[in-house]
Amino acid sequence: MILPLAVALAAGVLPQGPRPGLASEEQIETAQEPSSAAAETASEPESLADRKARREEELSTLTRDLSLSADRQAALAREIRAIERDREALNADLLRTAQRVTRLEEQLASTESRLRRLGENEDAVRASLVKRQDVLAEVLSALQRIGRHPPPPLAVRPRDALGAVRSALLLNAVMPELHVEAQALASDLASLRQLKVSSAAERDRLVADGQRLAEERTRVELLVASRKRDYERSESELAQERDRSRQLAEDAGTLKELIATLERDIASARDAAEAARKADEARRNAPPPSDPFSDPGRLAPAIAFADAKGRIGSPVAGTVLRDFGAQDSFGGTTQGRSIAARANAQVVAPVDGWVVYAGPFRSYGQVLILNAGDGYHILLAGMDRTNVEQGQFVLAGEPVATMGETRVASAATLDLAAPQPVLYVEFRKDGVSIDPTPWWGRPEEEKARG
């Protein structure tokens, strides 16, 4: 190869002073450390797949273990106690806090996505450096020898003129190649440095948002606990209804059968169905409100479910995997929408309604069924935990459940290819699944409304 020969002849024969297009001695020394890091990376046994898996684990642990200090938790508790005497204020604060949690979860998801892309770009640059490490070593060696052992000027030592001319002719043949490789090295090292700076900034943002999310989630838990106390029922009565409901869920063959038996045999579900019927009758005889969602103290749906088309927001921040009518993995079509969410994501009620059922059902994980009135029911499935009770009236946007760490397997509804938690949402009318598409609002409208 001509490059080693040129390097050997170049020692002591090039004119002094910086040559256009070549790296300076300061640039060479700056480049040495990252290049050494690239060489060390090449010698490590860790593969790209292992590095990616390690990065995913780091991302998940950055916010998972964030917790609030005891002083901050006590301050939040005092603040909640100060407002829980006013049900409207309590509900309004709960809805506002739930909206902040949703926005923070969306921001965290975006930050995590950017961090993954930065990591992939960093891996690509490192792989490029490793692939060309032999050539880069020769380039660095040539640049170092040229910079550290410059030749004497021709004007001072004329006897070296012939050797200098010969060396210059040889170097002139290889300088374009040396120049190109030096530029490529400098570009890759600059990219790697910038990627590290960007990654550090994104990680700082992730931790800060994660801390805020931990505080808002603690606030939600305290508000939900106060909301439950507002729903006065004895613990023994609740325990009996939970046991009876779970027995009915085990015996029911279909969701339609489960809803029918609950509203027939469970007092709270029966009362909820009766309250929904009375609310429908009262609404028909009353003029429509100018702003139906302005009253956080309402005890019935703000508007009829049929009139809520285009106004229902997503119950969880995430990405839609499959929608109503899409082909499933078993030769049929889906009866609802599947949404991939972050681990431990908040789930809110998409509409005003009464809780008909809250508990496990077959392979669906934790299931929540809301009676929205006029024969409409909303099914939410795949959660890890619910925090409402049967018969309780919930407001649209109120936190009602929490997703788990991983996907809940369900051969019937959930997307089997998604590793993250998946929320399944189904709209039903008189016991039959219906297309929810007309009811979903556009994301920009949801943000404006929030």
Side-chain angles (χ1 to χ4, degrees):
M1 186 176 180
I2 194 169
L3 186 57
L5 175 61
V7 171
L9 292 174
V13 296
L14 279 182
Q16 285 185 326
R19 180 182 178 90
L22 290 180
S24 66
E25 188 169 355
E26 180 182 357
Q27 290 172 322
I28 293 169
E29 291 174 356
T30 304
Q32 280 181 309
E33 184 177 350
S35 180
S36 301
E40 290 174 5
T41 303
S43 62
E44 293 177 358
E46 186 179 37
S47 65
L48 288 178
D50 293 336
R51 190 180 300 119
K52 183 177 181 181
R54 178 166 53 81
R55 187 184 302 114
E56 291 290 339
E57 179 62 24
E58 289 174 356
L59 280 177
S60 63
T61 56
L62 276 176
T63 56
R64 180 192 305 161
D65 300 327
L66 288 175
S67 59
L68 299 183
S69 65
D71 291 343
R72 185 54 185 155
Q73 291 190 38
L76 283 174
R78 288 193 298 271
E79 186 178 343
I80 301 307
R81 284 196 299 272
I83 65 173
E84 68 179 353
R85 290 184 293 272
D86 185 344
R87 180 168 54 83
E88 291 188 15
L90 180 67
N91 290 349
D93 198 24
L94 179 58
L95 294 177
R96 286 194 297 268
T97 304
Q99 290 170 357
R100 291 196 297 268
V101 168
T102 298
R103 284 195 292 268
L104 281 169
E105 288 176 345
E106 291 173 346
Q107 292 173 13
L108 282 168
S110 298
T111 302
E112 289 170 347
S113 178
R114 289 194 297 271
L115 269 173
R116 290 189 184 95
R117 288 196 299 270
L118 287 171
E120 292 169 358
N121 293 339
E122 183 179 335
D123 288 342
V125 173
R126 287 182 178 275
S128 175
L129 289 170
V130 169
K131 186 177 180 180
R132 296 182 293 117
Q133 63 178 340
D134 293 338
V135 175
L136 297 179
E138 292 185 3
V139 172
L140 285 177
S141 176
L143 293 173
Q144 287 173 336
R145 296 186 67 178
I146 291 171
R148 293 178 179 177
H149 304 286
L154 294 179
V156 177
R157 301 179 61 183
R159 65 180 179 275
D160 292 336
L162 182 59
V165 170
R166 288 174 177 172
S167 299
L169 290 173
L170 286 172
L171 286 172
N172 187 57
V174 297
M175 275 304 160
E177 178 183 351
L178 190 64
H179 178 55
V180 169
E181 291 295 345
Q183 282 188 324
L185 172 61
S187 175
D188 282 351
L189 292 176
S191 297
L192 189 60
R193 188 179 301 110
Q194 183 57 45
L195 286 170
K196 287 182 175 295
V197 171
S198 299
S199 296
E202 292 293 347
R203 287 178 182 276
D204 291 342
R205 185 180 295 110
L206 187 68
V207 172
D209 286 348
Q211 188 66 45
R212 290 169 55 203
L213 181 61
E215 178 171 337
E216 295 295 348
R217 280 179 171 171
T218 301
R219 186 181 183 86
V220 165
E221 291 176 1
L222 294 171
L223 287 167
V224 166
S226 297
R227 184 87 156 80
K228 280 187 176 182
R229 287 194 293 272
D230 186 53
Y231 180 66
E232 296 179 358
R233 297 180 65 195
S234 68
E235 187 60 35
S236 60
E237 180 183 358
L238 287 173
Q240 291 175 1
E241 283 209 345
R242 290 193 199 104
D243 293 341
R244 178 58 178 156
S245 296
R246 288 173 183 170
Q247 183 62 48
L248 291 175
E250 292 176 1
D251 295 340
T254 63
L255 285 170
K256 181 178 181 179
E257 182 181 342
L258 173 62
I259 294 172
T261 54
L262 285 170
E263 294 185 341
R264 184 189 65 226
D265 297 344
I266 301 298
S268 61
R270 189 167 56 248
D271 293 343
E274 179 62 19
R277 185 186 62 78
K278 291 181 179 179
D280 291 335
E281 291 180 355
R283 193 182 303 108
R284 294 188 187 99
N285 299 325
S290 57
D291 185 1
F293 300 101
S294 61
D295 178 18
R298 60 187 182 275
L299 297 175
I303 56 176
F305 186 78
D307 296 333
K309 292 182 178 179
R311 309 180 71 164
I312 295 180
S314 176
V316 70
T319 304
V320 176
L321 297 177
R322 292 181 181 173
D323 224 329
F324 180 89
Q327 295 294 319
D328 61 20
S329 304
F330 309 96
T333 58
T334 56
Q335 301 300 303
R337 169 178 283 192
S338 297
I339 307 172
R342 296 182 72 254
N344 303 313
Q346 167 188 263
V347 180
V348 301
V351 296
D352 293 348
W354 290 267
V355 179
V356 175
Y357 180 73
F361 180 66
R362 300 188 179 277
S363 59
Y364 288 70
Q366 291 292 315
V367 169
L368 184 67
I369 302 175
L370 300 178
N371 185 334
D374 200 23
Y376 289 97
H377 289 86
I378 309 299
L379 168 75
L380 305 174
M383 293 93 67
D384 181 69
R385 175 169 54 90
T386 59
N387 50 31
V388 290
E389 301 292 347
Q390 287 179 223
Q392 181 179 344
F393 179 75
V394 296
L395 304 174
E398 179 179 338
V400 292
T402 304
M403 302 301 294
E405 294 281 348
T406 57
R407 175 182 56 81
V408 176
S410 174
T413 57
L414 302 187
D415 194 302
L416 299 178
Q420 68 266 54
V422 175
L423 179 71
Y424 176 73
V425 189
E426 185 175 312
F427 289 13
R428 302 175 72 87
K429 168 65 172 171
D430 298 328
V432 179
S433 299
I434 60 173
D435 184 0
T437 302
W439 276 269
W440 295 121
R442 292 192 294 272
E444 57 271 19
E445 291 180 350
E446 295 173 24
K447 291 180 180 179
R449 199 168 54 242

